[in-house]
Amino acid sequence: MVIEAVLATFHLFVAGLAGGGPLLVAGLRLWWRRMETEPASDAGLRQLAVWSVGAVVLAAMTGLVAGAWRAGVGQGGYLEMLARFPARAYAMVAIEWVFSIACYGGWLALWNRWSQKPWRHGLLALLGATNLLYHFPLLMISQNLLVEQPNLVAGSVVARPLVVQLFHTPLVMAKASHIWAMCMLVSSCGLLMAAPVVRLHRVAGVVGLVALVVQFVSGAAVLGCLPADQTQRITGGSILATALLVLGVLMGIHLLMSFAKLALNPASPAKPGLVSGMVVGVMLLMSLAARL
């Protein structure tokens, strides 16, 4: 359980950077090109872009390792769930991943050449990021639900129309919203670490603050959409799970205050490592609470 939670936390962190980082970087470059002749801290933004592209590879590797771990320990229903998806579904997953890598690769390769064309350049980042953010969280969430509740999709084979219907159920959308907000939260940490400039600290603070608010709201929505027995277990049925949840919420409130301080007073000393560590800590606590 602990190993699975650690793998899930690392996977979510790098996947969040892979999906949210390019959107944040492309948006900032576009904004600066509209406001200034030369964008400030472009080197820092490029560093974050490089980290984001590397995170796409790390996310895929960690996801495969986590899947192999779950299969190896014989987690009930996991292999059976995987077998319900046709081979072409996994081929499409690979194609979607390669497409995003290609978009990101072109985005980095044209960094300087298209620096005066921020809309065109940003479109590559947008295509790669939205492709990742739409397909992968929704698919992973749906697969995990099918492990717990195989009857969510009737029939032995999970055809694409059936899984797309599952994508748009309230619980899947609430969980996806939680993950999308987490992507921007992780990306704000990446921005703090890649570009130590005062006005970028303000941007990171605002992005992190908004992302955390959305996470609190979407997290409450997830609890509201879960089956009654799961909600009861997390909110009082299991003392340990409830304690982890409360500790995660308290740490999240502290993070909220830290990002608010950055947004309102960006000149104050920032501690990117500490902020990023707290984000990882909250993710790990919530991951453990969900698995107890």
Side-chain angles (χ1 to χ4, degrees):
M1 177 189 68
V2 175
I3 292 177
E4 184 181 332
V6 170
L7 286 172
T9 299
F10 183 75
H11 175 72
L12 284 172
F13 190 89
V14 292
L17 186 59
L23 290 178
L24 183 56
V25 170
L28 283 173
R29 289 194 97 206
L30 176 61
W31 176 46
W32 278 343
R33 286 298 176 189
R34 290 176 61 88
M35 300 296 293
E36 303 177 340
T37 303
E38 292 294 332
S41 305
D42 200 54
L45 292 184
R46 182 175 173 80
Q47 181 63 67
L48 180 54
V50 171
W51 289 351
S52 299
V53 175
V56 182
V57 179
L58 278 177
M61 293 173 61
T62 310
L64 291 173
V65 170
W69 170 263
R70 295 178 70 179
V73 298
Q75 187 180 71
Y78 182 71
L79 289 175
E80 290 81 358
M81 177 277 296
L82 292 178
R84 294 179 66 187
F85 286 80
R88 63 178 177 274
Y90 296 107
M92 285 302 301
V93 168
I95 291 171
E96 299 290 357
W97 183 81
V98 170
F99 174 78
S100 288
I101 284 286
C103 288
Y104 284 173
W107 180 53
L108 283 180
L110 295 167
W111 187 271
N112 293 321
R113 182 178 298 180
W114 281 6
S115 62
Q116 301 299 325
K117 302 172 181 177
W119 284 105
R120 185 184 301 179
H121 190 238
L123 181 60
L124 288 172
L126 179 66
L127 288 173
T130 53
N131 182 62
L132 289 176
L133 292 173
Y134 175 75
H135 290 98
F136 288 89
L138 292 173
L139 178 61
M140 298 303 109
I141 292 167
S142 298
Q143 287 190 327
N144 285 328
L145 285 177
L146 286 171
V147 172
E148 302 167 0
Q149 305 174 59
N151 294 329
L152 281 176
V153 174
S156 58
V157 177
V158 182
R160 179 174 175 77
L162 296 176
V163 77
V164 168
Q165 289 179 13
L166 187 56
F167 281 0
H168 300 117
T169 56
L171 178 56
V172 173
M173 291 306 300
K175 287 190 171 187
S177 299
H178 198 64
I179 290 177
W180 292 331
M182 178 272 300
C183 290
M184 299 315 298
L185 178 62
V186 170
S187 299
S188 68
C189 293
L191 184 61
L192 277 175
M193 299 182 74
V197 178
V198 169
R199 65 173 175 175
L200 284 181
H201 285 182
R202 184 186 296 277
V203 173
V206 172
V207 172
L209 186 63
V210 173
L212 275 167
V213 170
V214 175
Q215 282 218 295
F216 277 117
V217 174
S218 58
V222 170
L223 285 176
C225 293
L226 284 172
D229 59 331
Q230 293 186 34
T231 303
Q232 173 61 28
R233 178 178 57 79
I234 297 174
T235 58
S238 167
I239 295 177
L240 183 55
T242 303
L244 290 170
L245 176 65
V246 171
L247 185 58
V249 170
L250 292 175
M251 191 178 291
I253 293 172
H254 183 70
L255 266 173
L256 199 69
M257 295 171 63
S258 298
F259 279 112
K261 183 178 179 180
L262 277 172
L264 296 172
N265 185 22
S268 62
K271 297 179 180 179
L274 179 60
V275 172
S276 300
M278 285 195 294
V279 169
V280 172
V282 171
M283 292 167 64
L284 180 58
L285 288 169
M286 296 303 186
S287 183
L288 285 169
R291 286 167 170 77
L292 288 176

